[in-house]
Amino acid sequence: MRYPTTVEDVLAIVNEARNRGITVKAIGARHSQTDIICTEHIPVDMTNFKSFTMNPDGVTASFGPGVTLREAGEFLQQRS
């Protein structure tokens, strides 16, 4: 399992997979246990790769891949 925290980390993982001829699989919060998270390749946990940004319109927001729905909701609630 890999835990990237920067764009450079993600690029390194993707480049490694490309060089080895394997795939990368992003793994979510694992609230549901299904076979979809199983892989023989490179599993990537995006939990540490979070970003929260209000867009210039002041109404919408953008979130990084590690943000949970709960965290997104709390972020928006604090700004309403």
Side-chain angles (χ1 to χ4, degrees):
M1 181 77 70
R2 305 292 176 83
Y3 300 89
T5 58
T6 66
V7 171
E8 291 77 17
D9 291 345
V10 174
L11 288 172
I13 293 166
V14 170
N15 285 330
E16 176 189 346
R18 187 181 63 203
N19 291 338
R20 293 174 51 197
I22 61 176
T23 61
V24 174
K25 182 177 261 190
I27 305 296
R30 295 182 290 281
H31 290 278
S32 300
Q33 296 300 317
T34 66
D35 290 343
I36 199 164
I37 66 170
C38 298
T39 183
E40 294 178 10
H41 300 270
I42 302 177
V44 179
D45 182 321
M46 299 302 287
T47 302
N48 298 322
F49 198 89
K50 298 180 182 187
S51 62
F52 304 82
T53 307
M54 284 302 295
N55 294 326
D57 64 11
V59 177
T60 61
S62 297
F63 303 98
V67 175
T68 65
L69 288 175
R70 170 179 270 170
E71 292 168 331
E74 289 170 355
F75 176 85
L76 293 171
Q77 191 173 32
Q78 292 170 0
R79 284 151 184 81
S80 63

